[in-house]
Amino acid sequence: MSSNISFNTTSTSYYVYTTSFDANRIKFTIFLILQLFSIPCFLWIFYQFARQRKLRESHHHHVIILLLIISFIFVTVALPITQSYMYLSAIYPQNKLFCSIWNWLHYSLNIINCFLMAFASIERNWLIFHPQLVRTRRGKFFFHYCPLVCCLIYPTGFYFGAIFIHKCQSYYDYSQLLCKWPCYFYNVNWANVDLFFNNYTPLIAIPVFCTMIYVRVLIQKQAMKQQVFKWKRDKKMIIQLWVISSLYLGMWMPIQITGLINIYWDSWFLLQAQIDYMYLFPYFIHLIYPFMIFLTYYKEMYPFKRNTIAALVTNTDRTVRGRAN
């Protein structure tokens, strides 16, 4: 161990994981800077949704609000634990319960976000091409509120059962991020459900249903443009979906693709890069998400200002004309 850089090393029968003290401090600084900017942005957006009833009551905004809430919880609760590890390059307190709670928070919040984003991609198809599905109370219950509740309850329950109820021997490492991993990873059934259903299903659903929207819009573009108001609303929803889904896919796909390569082809492929960088990519979703919402929703959050400016211009014009006459 040198005086400038220290390393924590954990040996397994397959690979030697290394984490650099200085690299962790750099990651801590990056996350802290983004966190200091993202929290005020979260709070400002929450204020706008709370202040404008029309904004928060629109059905296509409900999933956006839930995504904001989950990301805010991640940034203010789960991320500080990670930051503590990055600053110290060690886990404190060093006990199994703390590691289990940390893993439960981390995986539950991330997978809730993935499922909500997948549902947002599916729901946009309904709202644009089959709006009749959510016009009745029954339709709203089955096609809007039930999926949202399932997206919240299922991941929370799954990881609670996998981490706290499933009986297995814990192998936590207090020198690694997330204490390495929970013991259910060693159970083939739990691990397969987690990998293929919890991770790959929503990450496949997002591009598939987004592509369906884009293709159908290209096919029906001329017919949709004839309904001017509906076209403007639908175009706005499509752009918002494209921006947000691009963030999710850009941050999640690298770790998932390399994970598939590790499982089926090369078990050592980019392992150190995954440990050093890719495992942290999903953190940036939560930190960047409020800025994405601000950029795509700011016009809807400032309708009163546009109306006020238009009214001022109209009144000024009338005054000038009156004086001229």
Side-chain angles (χ1 to χ4, degrees):
M1 182 184 295
S2 67
S3 59
N4 294 324
I5 301 176
S6 62
F7 293 90
N8 296 319
T9 305
T10 302
S11 297
T12 68
S13 58
Y14 302 100
Y15 194 74
V16 177
Y17 300 93
T18 60
T19 54
S20 166
F21 180 86
D22 287 356
N24 280 342
R25 283 291 177 91
I26 294 171
K27 295 170 191 174
F28 167 82
T29 304
I30 293 171
F31 279 144
L32 181 61
I33 293 170
L34 288 172
Q35 188 182 39
L36 291 174
F37 283 100
S38 67
I39 290 177
C41 191
F42 272 117
L43 295 176
W44 184 85
I45 294 171
F46 287 143
Y47 170 72
Q48 295 300 325
F49 275 108
R51 188 176 60 84
Q52 299 186 49
R53 181 178 178 181
K54 184 179 179 181
L55 199 62
R56 68 176 182 270
E57 288 185 352
S58 299
H59 285 92
H60 64 282
H61 288 158
H62 291 171
V63 68
I64 300 298
I65 294 170
L66 285 176
L67 284 166
L68 280 166
I69 292 171
I70 297 301
S71 289
F72 181 74
I73 294 171
F74 190 94
V75 169
T76 55
V77 178
L79 180 58
I81 303 174
T82 301
Q83 288 171 305
S84 173
Y85 162 76
M86 289 177 175
Y87 189 80
L88 301 169
S89 286
I91 308 296
Y92 291 101
Q94 296 186 354
N95 62 67
K96 292 181 180 180
L97 179 60
F98 177 78
C99 287
S100 295
I101 293 173
W102 185 14
N103 275 271
W104 176 68
L105 274 173
H106 176 86
Y107 290 114
S108 295
L109 294 173
N110 273 309
I111 299 305
I112 286 173
N113 249 27
C114 283
F115 272 88
L116 285 172
M117 190 62 236
F119 174 66
S121 305
I122 298 169
E123 188 183 40
R124 287 297 191 272
N125 278 274
W126 297 342
L127 294 174
I128 294 173
F129 301 107
H130 306 285
Q132 68 277 7
L133 291 175
V134 291
R135 282 177 182 163
T136 64
R137 286 187 177 182
R138 187 174 181 180
K140 290 176 184 176
F141 178 78
F142 284 108
F143 294 102
H144 181 68
Y145 293 109
C146 274
L148 289 176
V149 172
C150 290
C151 289
L152 296 174
I153 291 177
Y154 166 73
T156 306
F158 175 87
Y159 289 108
F160 186 86
I163 294 171
F164 294 104
I165 298 176
H166 172 62
K167 300 298 181 182
C168 57
Q169 179 62 44
S170 298
Y171 296 98
Y172 287 130
D173 182 344
Y174 302 120
S175 66
Q176 298 297 324
L177 181 66
L178 290 167
C179 309
K180 196 174 179 182
W181 51 60
C183 61
Y184 81 85
F185 276 30
Y186 297 100
N187 182 292
V188 175
N189 294 328
W190 283 95
N192 282 338
V193 172
D194 185 28
L195 180 65
F196 293 103
F197 184 73
N198 295 352
N199 286 269
Y200 291 148
T201 298
L203 291 175
I204 291 172
I206 292 169
V208 166
F209 284 97
C210 286
T211 303
M212 284 176 61
I213 290 180
Y214 304 146
V215 171
R216 294 187 69 175
V217 166
L218 288 174
I219 294 172
Q220 304 178 29
K221 189 174 181 180
Q222 293 303 320
M224 293 175 71
K225 278 188 174 181
Q226 293 175 7
Q227 304 176 33
V228 179
F229 176 77
K230 187 176 183 300
W231 167 245
K232 287 183 178 180
R233 186 201 65 184
D234 294 346
K235 183 180 178 182
K236 189 184 300 180
M237 285 198 293
I238 292 167
I239 293 172
Q240 290 165 350
L241 178 65
W242 178 80
V243 171
I244 299 170
S245 62
S246 297
L247 172 65
Y248 275 76
L249 294 175
M251 294 295 104
W252 271 108
M253 281 305 182
I255 186 65
Q256 298 299 345
I257 292 172
T258 53
L260 274 178
I261 294 172
N262 294 151
I263 294 171
Y264 293 108
W265 291 284
D266 184 355
S267 59
W268 284 19
F269 179 73
L270 293 179
L271 270 183
Q272 192 62 49
Q274 291 179 48
I275 296 160
D276 290 338
Y277 308 109
M278 292 183 192
Y279 285 158
L280 300 176
F281 284 1
Y283 286 78
F284 288 100
I285 294 174
H286 305 285
L287 290 163
I288 298 173
Y289 183 64
F291 302 111
M292 290 289 193
I293 296 301
F294 174 78
L295 291 173
T296 55
Y297 279 82
Y298 73 95
K299 288 184 179 179
E300 296 177 57
M301 293 179 180
Y302 279 114
F304 66 97
K305 287 196 172 182
R306 295 200 306 275
N307 293 337
T308 302
I309 293 170
L312 286 172
V313 171
T314 302
N315 291 334
T316 302
D317 186 53
R318 287 176 180 174
T319 303
V320 170
R321 288 179 181 179
R323 289 178 179 176
N325 294 330

